[in-house]
Amino acid sequence: MKVSAAMTVLLLLLLLLSLVVASAAGLTADSRDSADWKPTDDGRRWSSRTC
């Protein structure tokens, strides 16, 4: 039973680590693009400022 719990924790940490690495490498994008949000261009928000 202890081996099963340890394996579960290890797999969870591996998944979390892979998400962190993908995010740091720029492989993730913001998918929240609906009427309440500004339009996106390849996952990046449009800036309404002209500065």
Side-chain angles (χ1 to χ4, degrees):
M1 195 67 168
K2 289 181 181 181
V3 174
S4 177
M7 185 64 90
T8 302
V9 170
L10 184 62
L11 287 175
L12 181 63
L13 288 175
L14 184 63
L15 175 66
L16 190 62
L17 180 64
S18 65
L19 288 173
V20 168
V21 169
S23 179
L27 300 175
T28 59
D30 188 3
S31 62
R32 298 175 293 176
D33 195 7
S34 65
D36 296 331
W37 296 92
K38 291 181 180 180
T40 60
D41 183 20
D42 196 24
R44 294 202 167 97
R45 302 238 183 267
W46 283 5
S47 178
S48 59
R49 297 181 199 152
T50 57
C51 298

